[in-house]
Amino acid sequence: MQKLARFSRLFPLLLPVFSLAGCNMVVMSPSGDIANQQRDLILVSTVLMLLIIIPVLFLTLFFAWRYRHSNTKATYAPDWHHSTRLEIVIWSAPLAIVMALGAVTWISTHKLDPYRPLDRLDAARAIPAETKPLTVEVVALDWKWLFFYPDLGIATVNELAAPVDVPINFKITSSSMMNSFYIPALAGQIYAMPGMQTKLHAVINKEGTFDGFSANYSGDGFSHMRFKFHGLTQQGFDEWVGRVKTQGTALNRDAYLKLEKPSEKEPVRYYASAEKGLYEAILNLCATPGKMCMSEMMHIDMMGGGGKESAENRQKLEYDNRRTGNNEAAPGATFPATGTSAHSADEPAGTEKSGAAPAEGDMKGMNMHDGHSMPGMDHGNGDPAPAQLNN
């Protein structure tokens, strides 16, 4: 009974330990080089911060005990107010920690930029010159994941595979709402957004089956938006590709539109072939037949707006009518043709009316949408969006 009573007193202290029994420590024990570097960054940052936290906690307890009311030996100095040495310690130690954290953050932010191509397989091996990266195009659907392998001509749903020690170039987008593509054993999470393309470069260094999921809440089926990522040998990956091509069906535009509809707990699916350009259509929000692609809209905006060609034709007709004495105005025409002067036939050359349309050369240099774009993201054409579109 005494042992039982002693254990009952210790049990509340053991509860935090028991609560960790079901935790998956994959973030602190990953299988990919990028995730390993991110793990190291977490450890370094934590240690640097503990250099301040631990002494503060210790000194708090020490001062409470040392200067307790019952300790008559403690020095009592009610008029004390300043110590230069103590001030130096109080300010220099945190300043040094902040500088160290800033340096670590600056270096790691650039080194672990998800858009930056890999320069090594792991800490001990560089990427061989003959290595060809594996390209995977990722689409977040409601509520499932669609993966394209453009170099292999296949696609899968809720299953991803890659050979060990081969760089993977992910291109990531979404069909309708924001999600987050996350394989903890491989690399950190990257957001998937409709009409945008984000990127991730990573490599898996160990064989195994790892969990992948959406780390951003996106509706009713979010909790089941999971998939398996298989790290395979090159021979195992070739066999997996062969299985997909043997067991899979064709993924065309019609099949995709059916797949795109919201569904939960979607099983793994294989597609032996994928329609060329389907990923680009999803990225440009024009997978539905007859819908204008976002890249086309951007091109029209860059050229001066929709209907520019028709407006120029009306302006030219209006100008020709003036020269020939025809009083019939072209519908909607208010200015002469681009690049011409707004004077009538009997006006001397060089006289222009106010409000004339600028010449075509004057349109050069104008910015699209005030020249703003979201940094770190790709737009409809899959290339990084420039800050300004000149000339």
Side-chain angles (χ1 to χ4, degrees), residues 251-266:
L251 180 61
N252 53 27
R253 193 69 61 98
D254 293 336
Y256 168 76
L257 293 176
K258 294 178 181 178
L259 178 66
E260 186 186 32
K261 295 179 180 179
S263 61
E264 299 182 29
K265 299 182 181 180
E266 193 71 25

Side-chain angles (χ1 to χ4, degrees), residues 154-175:
I154 62 175
T156 60
V157 171
N158 287 344
E159 185 173 282
L160 181 62
V164 171
D165 293 337
V166 174
I168 312 171
N169 298 343
F170 290 102
K171 298 179 180 180
I172 307 168
T173 190
S174 176
S175 64

Side-chain angles (χ1 to χ4, degrees), residues 277-359:
L278 181 55
Y279 171 78
E280 285 73 18
I282 299 170
L283 173 62
N284 283 283
L285 305 178
C286 58
T288 303
K291 187 175 182 180
M292 179 179 288
C293 293
M294 192 171 65
S295 59
E296 297 175 353
M297 296 181 187
M298 294 175 66
H299 177 72
I300 291 174
D301 288 344
M302 183 179 66
M303 296 302 294
K308 178 183 177 183
E309 295 81 3
S310 299
E312 288 184 351
N313 291 336
R314 291 195 300 269
Q315 292 165 359
K316 185 175 186 302
L317 178 59
E318 174 72 11
Y319 179 68
D320 291 341
N321 288 340
R322 290 180 181 178
R323 294 187 61 185
T324 58
N326 188 348
N327 294 327
E328 295 181 4
T334 56
F335 300 111
T338 302
T340 60
S341 299
H343 58 77
S344 59
D346 55 350
E347 290 176 332
T351 304
E352 296 186 1
K353 295 181 179 179
S354 61

Side-chain angles (χ1 to χ4, degrees), residues 21-80:
C23 292
N24 188 345
M25 300 297 290
V26 62
V27 173
M28 305 309 295
S29 181
S31 301
D33 183 57
I34 295 297
N36 272 316
Q37 294 182 67
Q38 293 172 338
R39 184 265 324 266
D40 294 342
L41 176 61
I42 294 174
L43 294 176
V44 170
S45 301
T46 302
V47 169
L48 286 174
M49 290 184 287
L50 287 177
L51 292 178
I52 291 295
I53 295 174
I54 291 178
V56 168
L57 293 177
F58 171 78
L59 289 174
T60 300
L61 298 176
F62 172 76
F63 289 150
W65 176 83
R66 179 72 174 82
Y67 296 100
R68 67 192 185 276
H69 182 268
S70 60
N71 186 13
T72 58
K73 296 181 179 180
T75 302
Y76 178 64
D79 297 329
W80 180 90

Side-chain angles (χ1 to χ4, degrees), residues 115 136-142 144-148 170-181 190-200 225 256 278-285 294 377-380 382:
Y115 278 61
V136 180
E137 297 168 338
V138 182
V139 180
L141 302 174
D142 299 332
K144 49 203 169 272
W145 292 95
L146 174 61
F147 304 106
F148 291 93
F170 290 102
K171 298 179 180 180
I172 307 168
T173 190
S174 176
S175 64
S176 60
M177 66 179 68
M178 179 184 293
N179 274 284
S180 182
F181 177 73
I190 301 295
Y191 281 105
M193 293 165 283
M196 298 285 182
Q197 176 175 272
T198 50
K199 294 182 180 179
L200 172 65
M225 197 171 174
Y256 168 76
L278 181 55
Y279 171 78
E280 285 73 18
I282 299 170
L283 173 62
N284 283 283
L285 305 178
M294 192 171 65
M377 298 177 185
D378 293 348
H379 290 260

